[in-house]
Amino acid sequence: MADADRNPPAETLREGPLKAAIWRNESENGAYHSVTLARTYKDKDGNLQDTSSFRAKDLLGLSELARRAHHDASDRDRAAFKEHRMAQAEQGQAHTKGYTG
């Protein structure tokens, strides 16, 4: 499925023509985040396009962008895990409220 067919990314980080899109994904164990890396360029008709091919001069910026994306996605994963655990705890309390033993 193309990125445009999904919901928009939770966050997009940029470093010049480079970008890291951070995507929220749902699973039975709660949300997790994934990252796609791309370089934006103009095609021969002047339209903006993305590619996953990088030039040698992009690599240092790409490594910095990947580091930032790692921290952002990890922070989002931790927050999602806490939300999931709280929802599970609330669900457990709701099931035991009517229980008289």
Side-chain angles (χ1 to χ4, degrees), residues 54-82:
F54 303 96
R55 302 167 297 191
K57 69 180 188 175
D58 295 326
L59 297 178
L60 187 57
L62 186 64
S63 68
E64 174 60 20
L65 187 61
R67 186 192 65 77
R68 288 174 42 210
H70 165 75
H71 289 295
D72 190 297
S74 295
D75 289 347
R76 290 170 183 275
D77 280 348
R78 276 191 292 281
F81 178 75
K82 286 179 185 178

Side-chain angles (χ1 to χ4, degrees), residues 4-101:
D5 296 337
R6 297 192 256 177
N7 292 328
E11 178 86 22
T12 301
L13 306 174
R14 294 195 175 272
E15 176 87 20
L18 306 174
K19 70 179 178 181
I22 300 170
W23 303 92
R24 181 181 172 104
N25 303 281
E26 300 292 337
S27 77
E28 64 273 0
N29 296 321
Y32 65 95
H33 295 80
S34 60
V35 178
T36 56
L37 300 169
R39 177 175 54 87
T40 303
Y41 68 97
K42 282 188 181 180
D43 66 15
K44 63 181 178 176
D45 298 323
N47 299 313
L48 291 177
Q49 302 289 334
D50 284 344
T51 181
S52 59
S53 178
F54 303 96
R55 302 167 297 191
K57 69 180 188 175
D58 295 326
L59 297 178
L60 187 57
L62 186 64
S63 68
E64 174 60 20
L65 187 61
R67 186 192 65 77
R68 288 174 42 210
H70 165 75
H71 289 295
D72 190 297
S74 295
D75 289 347
R76 290 170 183 275
D77 280 348
R78 276 191 292 281
F81 178 75
K82 286 179 185 178
E83 288 172 16
H84 182 70
R85 293 292 291 225
M86 287 178 61
Q88 282 183 321
E90 289 173 6
Q91 200 173 40
Q93 289 175 353
H95 289 299
T96 59
K97 281 187 178 180
Y99 180 72
T100 58

